[in-house]
Amino acid sequence: MAPPASSGIEEEIAVDRDGYDSSNATKTVCVMDASGHFASALVRRLLLRGYTELTAEVETMAAHNVLEACAQTNTVDKVVFTSSLTAVVWSNHRDNPTSHDFDERNWSDVNLCKKFKLWHGLSKTLAEKTAWALAMDRGISMVSINGGLVMGPDVTISNPYLKGAAEMYEDGVMASVDLRFYVDAHICVFEDVSSYGRYLCFNHVINCNEDAMKLARMLLPPSDTSTPPLSFEDTRVHPQRISNKKLNKLMVNFDGKFQADCSAD
């Protein structure tokens, strides 16, 4: 569907009422204006080939173009920018277990992402930083949702979010979010006039062997003979080091069907 003529959004931007991508593998910038439309920047053709360093450049340019279009459109009430936890957790901070939990104040280290070819984290970090810079410069009301691995019907082992999953698991920051709760969070931060800044969005942290095995079985096709057997030999529970307290507090009175079930103390 083409965007409304008054939106000022370029022709490659598709407008729909979903405003999210369940696989988290497609760049999505959610914008709701006064008439209730979501504008989604979808860089599909490139991302179908997988995340690369070039993807980061394309996502960053897309974020800039969409925010610039919003700045030029007087019907836009608030921008809800869909980002990722991978724009938060990849930094040298993860090497220090005594430091504070990861929260909205943390950003992934661009150089570290490049060094270890964490292209998903690099793309989300650069795109979100670009969006925030332009929003502040142009006076746009914006909030961002930094979601975990989105558990929708089409999530698979090939999801680019999972690059570095073993390290995230060991660090206590491997988090997932139910698709329906993810949608509720977007609606909540848009509707609540007190919402501001960034919100980490997840409702499950995979930090023990049993949860890791269950996730592997969900991500791999049923016919895959490489699906690991459930083992209870490893009984370690990695301490959770990521916090969603800010979003939980905002959504405490939100009339949604799904609420977060985990929060760092």
Side-chain angles (χ1 to χ4, degrees):
M1 183 186 300
S6 62
S7 70
I9 298 175
E10 299 176 357
E11 62 181 358
E12 72 268 23
I13 308 305
V15 174
D16 57 43
R17 291 187 180 271
D18 295 329
Y20 59 85
D21 172 56
S22 60
S23 70
N24 212 12
T26 305
K27 173 67 190 141
T28 306
V29 178
C30 305
V31 180
M32 182 180 276
D33 62 17
S35 61
H37 290 93
F38 278 103
S40 303
L42 307 175
V43 190
R44 291 192 182 278
R45 285 180 294 179
L46 177 63
L47 298 186
L48 285 173
R49 304 173 188 171
Y51 270 75
T52 66
E53 189 169 10
L54 177 61
T55 311
E57 298 179 17
V58 175
E59 287 207 17
T60 301
M61 179 175 63
H64 179 277
N65 290 347
V66 171
L67 266 295
E68 181 60 38
C70 292
Q72 298 178 23
T73 307
N74 57 18
T75 58
V76 171
D77 183 50
K78 179 188 285 186
V79 175
V80 179
F81 188 93
T82 304
S83 188
S84 172
L85 289 184
T86 60
V88 175
V89 300
W90 293 117
S91 70
N92 292 326
H93 172 63
R94 58 183 288 271
D95 295 327
N96 183 7
T98 63
S99 58
H100 65 79
D101 293 336
F102 286 88
D103 59 22
E104 293 78 10
R105 295 169 294 180
N106 294 102
W107 287 92
S108 289
D109 186 296
V110 170
N111 292 326
L112 185 144
C113 289
K114 289 180 179 179
K115 179 179 179 180
F116 293 102
K117 299 183 178 180
L118 299 164
W119 305 132
H120 189 270
L122 179 67
S123 297
K124 300 305 178 185
T125 302
L126 292 178
E128 188 187 350
K129 282 191 171 184
T130 296
W132 276 116
L134 189 55
M136 289 186 285
D137 181 62
R138 302 298 297 274
I140 301 170
S141 174
M142 180 176 127
V143 292
S144 67
I145 294 283
N146 293 73
L149 176 66
V150 182
M151 302 305 294
D154 55 352
V155 64
T156 68
I157 196 67
S158 62
N159 192 301
Y161 183 101
L162 293 167
K163 177 69 180 294
E167 289 77 11
M168 286 191 281
Y169 168 70
E170 293 176 357
D171 292 340
V173 297
M174 180 61 197
S176 64
V177 57
D178 182 275
L179 176 60
R180 293 162 293 185
F181 174 71
Y182 196 45
V183 173
D184 277 351
H186 278 75
I187 296 171
C188 179
V189 299
F190 173 75
E191 293 182 342
D192 196 317
V193 295
S194 69
S195 65
Y196 68 96
R198 306 168 85 202
Y199 289 89
L200 304 195
C201 182
F202 58 91
N203 55 0
H204 186 58
V205 173
I206 298 93
N207 61 348
C208 67
N209 183 59
E210 182 178 0
D211 284 350
M213 292 299 102
K214 288 180 179 178
L215 178 62
R217 288 178 168 175
M218 292 176 64
L219 295 174
L220 292 167
S223 59
D224 195 321
T225 57
S226 65
T227 303
L230 184 61
S231 171
F232 294 96
E233 294 181 3
D234 186 356
T235 59
R236 291 177 299 170
V237 176
H238 300 282
Q240 178 177 329
R241 293 184 58 208
I242 190 165
S243 173
N244 57 359
K245 283 184 176 180
K246 183 181 176 185
L247 181 63
N248 285 352
K249 183 177 180 180
L250 186 74
M251 296 186 70
V252 67
N253 295 318
F254 179 72
D255 187 20
K257 295 182 178 179
F258 301 90
Q259 295 295 323
D261 60 8
C262 56
S263 179
D265 294 330

